[in-house]
Amino acid sequence: MAKMKAVVAAMMAAAVSLGAAAAPAGPQEPAVPMSGNPILPGWYADPEAAVFGSTYWIYPTTSAPYAEQTHFDAFSSPDLVHWTRHPEVLTKASIPWAKEALWAPAVVEKGGRYYFFFSANDIKTDEETGGIGVAVADRPEGPYRDLLGKPLIGTFHNGAQPIDQFVFEDDDGAWYMIYGGWKHANIVRLKDDFTGVQPHEDGTLYKEITPAPEYVEGSLMFKRGGRYYYMWSEGGWGEPEYSVAYAIADTPTGPFKRIGKILQQDPSIATSAGHHSIIHAPGSDNWYIVYHRRPLGETSRHHRATAIDRMQFDENGLILPVKMTLEGVPAERVQGR
């Protein structure tokens, strides 16, 4: 009997030991949800990203032939992972002078109203109607209506086609718009009500700030550490080599000297990475780049998808090369809101 008790005790001890070995060492951290890439369903390009209140927003171009680019959808998210579509927040029917080729949104909030800047009609000469327009709404999801009944900028200046605008508020409350195609970029200072442009301090209205011969389109500006970062796209938007480069200056009007590319194709992930925007998560030093790219195997130039990845800086404030991913970014809510 004593021998049997000893055997049972040994078996129980072994079972306890085995259970202890199989049990986790401690409480496991829950997996952080990831956005995945692409983050929006369907073909969307030229994404404009913004933070309004406690919500992230993306306003993209509907990627289709010009005759079919006649409206804009918007997408909202509380955490960069879960996105809700808001269809047709601005349509051609609300813009009496636009006929096709609506693209490149830029959306800002001022005085409790939301202003939606856009390109329309892809004009090639000053004799055509089109260029950069602006619409307004009382909510970020619209509906937006045309503000002026005509283009805000509808002619060429310094060789810049009036397209691909980006709107930027400086720390002193001045509003600037950077825009331009055909390898030329201008910066203008906007009137306080966004109905037109006003002179810079030197008296010029349309100041050319083309940063490098490689510049093509897709201007963007942000401020970090007291310096102005100017970003743009290079190459043809329908080609695999489409990419993003940048420069830094001490004023919004430059001079800007190209530093180098930070986003380009990855043959294992996607091609044609460009025409981007930036999210700086409020209350943090977390930065994200939102851009379009062409999935592997897609040959149509209109098959562009919106993606998001981390954007980081080195100790000198230079932007590190962005690694394109399929995983995207982890969930992050707007802090303190």
Side-chain angles (χ1 to χ4, degrees):
M1 179 64 67
K3 184 175 180 180
M4 178 63 70
K5 289 182 177 180
V7 170
V8 171
M11 292 174 64
M12 292 178 63
V16 170
S17 177
L18 180 61
Q28 298 295 299
E29 291 292 330
V32 177
M34 299 291 290
S35 68
N37 273 326
I39 53 172
L40 306 182
W43 301 126
Y44 290 101
D46 314 333
E48 160 78 347
V51 181
F52 297 134
S54 60
T55 304
Y56 300 98
W57 288 85
I58 293 178
Y59 301 85
T61 296
T62 300
S63 188
Y66 280 170
E68 300 173 24
Q69 281 184 195
T70 57
H71 72 275
F72 294 101
D73 297 334
F75 295 82
S76 62
S77 173
D79 58 5
L80 298 176
V81 171
H82 304 93
W83 293 92
T84 299
R85 176 175 173 259
H86 306 268
E88 299 192 359
V89 299
L90 175 61
T91 70
K92 184 184 72 170
S94 301
I95 312 163
W97 53 271
K99 63 181 188 297
E100 65 174 9
L102 301 180
W103 84 93
V107 184
V108 300
E109 183 274 331
K110 185 177 189 292
R113 305 183 83 192
Y114 299 86
Y115 294 86
F116 192 123
F117 297 79
F118 58 91
S119 302
N121 295 352
D122 190 32
I123 63 172
K124 306 296 194 301
T125 70
D126 288 348
E127 284 66 47
E128 300 174 80
T129 298
I132 296 170
V134 57
V136 64
D138 296 322
R139 303 179 301 172
E141 66 269 32
Y144 289 85
R145 62 188 184 279
D146 189 46
L147 179 65
L148 303 176
K150 62 180 182 179
L152 174 66
I153 298 178
T155 53
F156 287 68
H157 299 274
N158 303 317
Q161 186 187 27
I163 65 167
D164 284 14
Q165 67 294 321
F166 178 79
V167 178
F168 167 75
E169 183 184 16
D170 207 349
D171 296 337
D172 62 0
W175 287 88
Y176 295 93
M177 184 165 70
I178 307 95
Y179 74 92
W182 291 10
K183 292 186 173 293
H184 293 277
N186 291 330
I187 185 169
V188 297
R189 182 168 176 179
L190 294 170
K191 292 181 178 179
D192 290 341
D193 58 4
F194 297 152
T195 61
V197 302
Q198 59 181 317
H200 293 283
E201 291 184 358
D202 64 2
T204 60
L205 281 177
Y206 299 88
K207 185 182 291 294
E208 183 167 9
I209 57 169
T210 306
E214 296 91 342
Y215 171 89
V216 173
E217 59 194 12
S219 288
L220 178 141
M221 186 173 288
F222 67 90
K223 196 171 184 180
R224 182 179 186 269
R227 297 189 294 174
Y228 297 84
Y229 290 71
Y230 180 23
M231 307 180 77
W232 63 90
S233 294
E234 299 179 349
W237 65 267
E239 303 302 320
E241 294 77 18
Y242 200 50
S243 56
V244 173
Y246 81 108
I248 301 175
D250 295 324
T251 72
T253 56
F256 291 97
K257 183 178 180 180
R258 182 182 188 273
I259 295 174
K261 292 184 180 183
I262 59 97
L263 176 65
Q264 54 191 314
Q265 67 172 323
D266 181 338
S268 67
I269 300 290
T271 66
S272 304
H275 201 134
H276 70 297
S277 58
I278 300 297
I279 292 175
H280 177 203
S284 75
D285 195 33
N286 294 336
W287 295 75
Y288 303 93
I289 185 168
V290 184
Y291 61 99
H292 74 238
R293 65 195 198 187
R294 187 163 293 107
L296 298 180
E298 295 292 342
T299 57
S300 169
R301 67 176 187 164
H302 302 294
H303 286 180
R304 295 172 291 174
T306 295
I308 183 171
D309 281 304
R310 288 291 303 271
M311 189 177 82
Q312 297 175 298
F313 303 82
D314 70 11
E315 62 275 12
N316 298 313
L318 299 179
I319 303 175
L320 297 172
V322 173
K323 176 177 174 54
M324 285 201 294
T325 70
L326 298 175
E327 296 79 17
V329 300
E332 179 174 358
R333 292 184 176 269
V334 178
Q335 295 186 21
R337 300 189 189 183

